[in-house]
Protein backbone atom coordinates (compact mmCIF):
# COMPACT_ATOMS: atom_id res chain seq x y z
CA UNK A 1 0.00 0.00 0.00
CA UNK A 2 1.18 3.48 -0.81
CA UNK A 3 2.29 5.44 2.18
CA UNK A 4 1.58 8.80 0.65
CA UNK A 5 -1.29 9.23 -1.76
CA UNK A 6 -1.95 12.30 -3.82
CA UNK A 7 -5.14 11.41 -5.60
CA UNK A 8 -5.08 14.36 -7.98
CA UNK A 9 -2.52 13.91 -10.73
CA UNK A 10 -3.24 17.21 -12.41
CA UNK A 11 -5.27 20.30 -11.60
CA UNK A 12 -5.91 23.16 -13.96
CA UNK A 13 -7.23 26.49 -12.70
CA UNK A 14 -7.57 30.03 -13.90
CA UNK A 15 -5.51 32.70 -12.22
CA UNK A 16 -6.95 33.99 -8.93
CA UNK A 17 -8.85 30.80 -8.26
CA UNK A 18 -8.09 28.84 -5.12
CA UNK A 19 -6.73 25.34 -5.46
CA UNK A 20 -6.52 22.60 -2.84
CA UNK A 21 -4.15 19.68 -3.14
CA UNK A 22 -5.01 16.55 -1.24
CA UNK A 23 -2.53 14.35 0.57
CA UNK A 24 -3.36 11.21 2.53
CA UNK A 25 -0.66 9.29 4.35
CA UNK A 26 -0.30 5.98 6.08
CA UNK A 27 1.97 5.21 8.99
CA UNK A 28 2.11 3.23 12.21
CA UNK A 29 4.76 5.47 13.68
CA UNK A 30 3.72 7.91 16.37
CA UNK A 31 6.54 10.28 15.51
CA UNK A 32 6.65 11.39 11.92
CA UNK A 33 6.96 14.46 9.75
CA UNK A 34 4.97 15.63 6.79
CA UNK A 35 6.29 17.86 4.07
CA UNK A 36 5.20 19.70 0.99
CA UNK A 37 7.63 20.50 -1.79
CA UNK A 38 7.22 22.45 -4.99
CA UNK A 39 9.04 21.36 -8.13
CA UNK A 40 8.96 23.99 -10.87
CA UNK A 41 9.88 23.11 -14.46
CA UNK A 42 13.56 23.76 -13.69
CA UNK A 43 13.52 20.62 -11.54
CA UNK A 44 14.82 21.68 -8.16
CA UNK A 45 12.75 20.90 -5.11
CA UNK A 46 11.57 23.90 -3.15
CA UNK A 47 10.75 23.24 0.48
CA UNK A 48 7.38 24.66 1.52
CA UNK A 49 6.56 23.26 4.92
CA UNK A 50 7.37 20.62 7.49
CA UNK A 51 4.91 19.55 10.14
CA UNK A 52 5.57 17.05 12.92
CA UNK A 53 2.98 14.55 14.08
CA UNK A 54 2.45 16.26 17.40
CA UNK A 55 1.55 19.61 15.94
CA UNK A 56 -1.90 19.65 14.40
CA UNK A 57 -2.15 23.40 14.16
CA UNK A 58 -3.03 24.61 10.73
CA UNK A 59 -0.60 27.00 9.18
CA UNK A 60 -0.84 29.95 6.85
CA UNK A 61 2.05 31.47 5.00
CA UNK A 62 1.04 34.19 2.60
CA UNK A 63 -1.20 32.62 -0.03
CA UNK A 64 -0.36 29.12 1.17
CA UNK A 65 -2.20 27.27 3.90
CA UNK A 66 -2.06 23.74 5.23
CA UNK A 67 -4.69 21.66 6.99
CA UNK A 68 -3.29 18.76 9.03
CA UNK A 69 -5.89 16.30 10.32
CA UNK A 70 -4.54 13.24 12.10
CA UNK A 71 -8.03 11.77 12.42
CA UNK A 72 -8.20 11.35 8.66
CA UNK A 73 -4.43 11.06 8.05
CA UNK A 74 -4.53 14.01 5.73
CA UNK A 75 -2.29 16.99 5.15
CA UNK A 76 -3.94 19.13 2.52
CA UNK A 77 -2.44 22.20 0.91
CA UNK A 78 -4.36 25.20 -0.40
CA UNK A 79 -3.10 27.95 -2.65
CA UNK A 80 -5.31 31.01 -2.42
CA UNK A 81 -5.66 33.39 -5.34
CA UNK A 82 -3.42 31.31 -7.55
CA UNK A 83 -0.89 32.91 -9.86
CA UNK A 84 0.80 31.68 -13.02
CA UNK A 85 4.06 31.32 -11.08
CA UNK A 86 2.36 28.70 -8.94
CA UNK A 87 2.37 26.33 -11.90
CA UNK A 88 4.52 23.39 -10.83
CA UNK A 89 4.37 19.87 -9.52
CA UNK A 90 3.70 19.67 -5.81
CA UNK A 91 4.81 16.72 -3.74
CA UNK A 92 3.60 15.66 -0.35
CA UNK A 93 6.09 13.53 1.60
CA UNK A 94 6.29 11.53 4.79
CA UNK A 95 9.29 10.97 7.02
CA UNK A 96 8.99 8.28 9.67
CA UNK A 97 11.31 8.17 12.65
CA UNK A 98 11.24 4.38 12.70
CA UNK A 99 12.40 4.32 9.07
CA UNK A 100 15.44 6.46 9.69
CA UNK A 101 13.66 9.60 8.60
CA UNK A 102 14.00 8.90 4.91
CA UNK A 103 11.38 10.65 2.84
CA UNK A 104 8.62 8.83 1.03
CA UNK A 105 7.03 10.94 -1.65
CA UNK A 106 3.53 10.93 -2.99
CA UNK A 107 2.98 10.74 -6.70
CA UNK A 108 2.78 14.49 -7.05
CA UNK A 109 0.09 16.82 -8.32
CA UNK A 110 0.75 18.97 -11.35
CA UNK A 111 -0.86 22.37 -11.01
CA UNK A 112 -1.39 24.46 -14.10
CA UNK A 113 -2.49 28.02 -13.54
CA UNK A 114 -3.75 29.69 -16.67
CA UNK A 115 -3.75 33.46 -17.07
CA UNK B 1 19.14 28.16 5.24
CA UNK B 2 21.27 25.12 4.68
CA UNK B 3 22.61 24.62 1.19
CA UNK B 4 23.19 21.38 -0.65
CA UNK B 5 24.98 21.52 -3.96
CA UNK B 6 24.99 18.92 -6.70
CA UNK B 7 27.42 18.72 -9.54
CA UNK B 8 27.09 18.41 -12.46
CA UNK B 9 23.59 19.74 -12.99
CA UNK B 10 23.46 18.22 -16.45
CA UNK B 11 25.53 15.48 -18.00
CA UNK B 12 25.34 13.72 -21.32
CA UNK B 13 27.39 10.61 -21.83
CA UNK B 14 27.78 7.71 -24.20
CA UNK B 15 26.40 4.31 -23.40
CA UNK B 16 28.91 2.21 -21.50
CA UNK B 17 30.67 5.03 -19.74
CA UNK B 18 30.53 5.79 -16.02
CA UNK B 19 29.28 9.04 -14.58
CA UNK B 20 29.93 10.48 -11.14
CA UNK B 21 27.55 12.91 -9.44
CA UNK B 22 28.61 14.81 -6.36
CA UNK B 23 26.44 16.01 -3.53
CA UNK B 24 27.91 18.48 -1.06
CA UNK B 25 26.49 20.07 2.03
CA UNK B 26 28.01 23.53 1.94
CA UNK B 27 27.35 24.91 5.38
CA UNK B 28 26.60 21.96 7.61
CA UNK B 29 27.74 18.44 8.37
CA UNK B 30 25.53 15.68 7.06
CA UNK B 31 25.86 12.28 8.62
CA UNK B 32 23.22 10.96 6.29
CA UNK B 33 22.54 11.68 2.64
CA UNK B 34 19.84 10.23 0.48
CA UNK B 35 19.83 9.64 -3.26
CA UNK B 36 16.61 9.83 -5.24
CA UNK B 37 15.80 9.13 -8.83
CA UNK B 38 13.01 10.74 -10.77
CA UNK B 39 11.81 9.63 -14.17
CA UNK B 40 9.96 12.16 -16.34
CA UNK B 41 6.57 13.07 -14.95
CA UNK B 42 6.96 10.69 -12.06
CA UNK B 43 7.64 10.97 -8.38
CA UNK B 44 10.94 10.73 -6.58
CA UNK B 45 12.00 7.23 -5.67
CA UNK B 46 14.56 6.65 -2.95
CA UNK B 47 17.54 4.71 -4.26
CA UNK B 48 19.80 4.51 -1.25
CA UNK B 49 20.74 5.96 2.09
CA UNK B 50 24.33 7.00 2.47
CA UNK B 51 25.94 7.18 5.90
CA UNK B 52 29.31 8.77 6.43
CA UNK B 53 32.05 6.20 6.86
CA UNK B 54 29.90 3.15 6.19
CA UNK B 55 28.33 1.30 3.31
CA UNK B 56 25.22 2.67 1.73
CA UNK B 57 21.87 1.00 2.28
CA UNK B 58 20.08 0.36 -0.99
CA UNK B 59 16.36 0.17 -1.52
CA UNK B 60 14.86 -2.98 -2.94
CA UNK B 61 15.38 -3.28 -6.66
CA UNK B 62 18.32 -0.88 -6.84
CA UNK B 63 21.51 -2.49 -8.10
CA UNK B 64 24.33 -1.56 -5.77
CA UNK B 65 26.99 -2.55 -8.31
CA UNK B 66 25.35 -0.31 -10.85
CA UNK B 67 24.90 2.70 -8.61
CA UNK B 68 27.98 3.09 -6.46
CA UNK B 69 27.59 5.40 -3.52
CA UNK B 70 30.43 6.75 -1.46
CA UNK B 71 30.08 9.01 1.57
CA UNK B 72 33.69 9.76 2.35
CA UNK B 73 33.19 12.81 4.52
CA UNK B 74 30.53 14.64 6.46
CA UNK B 75 30.01 17.04 3.59
CA UNK B 76 30.31 14.89 0.48
CA UNK B 77 28.51 11.92 -1.01
CA UNK B 78 28.99 10.68 -4.55
CA UNK B 79 26.83 8.57 -6.81
CA UNK B 80 28.55 6.80 -9.68
CA UNK B 81 26.41 5.32 -12.41
CA UNK B 82 28.60 2.58 -13.83
CA UNK B 83 28.40 1.44 -17.44
CA UNK B 84 25.49 3.74 -18.04
CA UNK B 85 22.78 2.81 -20.52
CA UNK B 86 19.93 4.85 -21.99
CA UNK B 87 17.50 3.47 -19.42
CA UNK B 88 19.62 5.08 -16.70
CA UNK B 89 18.72 8.49 -18.10
CA UNK B 90 16.93 10.24 -15.29
CA UNK B 91 16.96 13.12 -12.84
CA UNK B 92 19.01 12.28 -9.77
CA UNK B 93 18.50 14.29 -6.61
CA UNK B 94 20.37 14.08 -3.35
CA UNK B 95 19.30 15.28 0.05
CA UNK B 96 21.26 15.75 3.23
CA UNK B 97 20.20 15.58 6.82
CA UNK B 98 21.80 17.87 9.34
CA UNK B 99 23.80 16.26 12.07
CA UNK B 100 22.27 17.97 15.10
CA UNK B 101 19.33 16.22 16.78
CA UNK B 102 17.35 19.42 16.67
CA UNK B 103 17.07 18.99 12.92
CA UNK B 104 15.93 15.41 12.92
CA UNK B 105 13.51 14.93 10.08
CA UNK B 106 14.58 18.04 8.21
CA UNK B 107 16.23 17.40 4.89
CA UNK B 108 17.86 19.75 2.44
CA UNK B 109 17.83 18.95 -1.25
CA UNK B 110 20.36 19.52 -3.95
CA UNK B 111 19.38 21.08 -7.26
CA UNK B 112 19.37 17.75 -9.02
CA UNK B 113 21.47 16.28 -11.81
CA UNK B 114 19.95 15.40 -15.15
CA UNK B 115 21.68 12.44 -16.77
CA UNK B 116 21.18 11.66 -20.44
CA UNK B 117 22.78 8.53 -21.78
CA UNK B 118 23.03 8.34 -25.55
Amino acid sequence: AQKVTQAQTEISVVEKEDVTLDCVYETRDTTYYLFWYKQPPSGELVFLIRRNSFDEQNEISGRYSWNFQKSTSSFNFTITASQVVDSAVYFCALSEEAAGNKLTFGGGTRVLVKP
Amino acid sequence: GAVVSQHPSRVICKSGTSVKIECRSLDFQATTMFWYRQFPKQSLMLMATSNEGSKATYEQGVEKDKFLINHASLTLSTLTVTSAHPEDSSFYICSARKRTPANTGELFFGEGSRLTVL
Side-chain angles (χ1 to χ4, degrees), chain B residues 35 50-51 54 56 58 68-73 76-80:
Chain B
W35 286 94
S50 166
N51 294 299
S54 63
Y58 290 81
L68 299 179
I69 291 173
N70 183 278
H71 194 155
S73 76
L76 173 65
S77 177
T78 60
L79 166 67
T80 301

Side-chain angles (χ1 to χ4, degrees), chain B residues 24-109:
Chain B
R24 291 181 186 274
S25 55
L26 299 184
D27 55 357
F28 67 96
Q29 292 183 326
T31 50
T32 304
M33 289 186 174
F34 302 90
W35 286 94
Y36 291 85
R37 181 176 185 176
Q38 185 181 30
F39 289 109
K41 297 190 177 182
Q42 292 191 25
S43 187
L44 286 80
M45 299 300 295
L46 180 65
M47 298 175 66
T49 303
S50 166
N51 294 299
E52 186 264 336
S54 63
K55 290 184 178 181
T57 303
Y58 290 81
E59 296 298 303
Q60 195 172 10
V62 178
E63 300 174 61
K64 57 184 178 183
D65 295 330
K66 172 77 172 173
F67 300 99
L68 299 179
I69 291 173
N70 183 278
H71 194 155
S73 76
L74 286 171
T75 60
L76 173 65
S77 177
T78 60
L79 166 67
T80 301
V81 183
T82 62
S83 187
H85 288 95
E87 58 266 29
D88 298 324
S89 299
S90 189
F91 192 56
Y92 293 89
I93 307 177
C94 74
S95 68
R97 187 170 71 200
K98 269 192 175 182
R99 190 179 190 180
T100 57
N103 287 288
T104 298
E106 186 170 13
L107 297 176
F108 299 92
F109 281 84

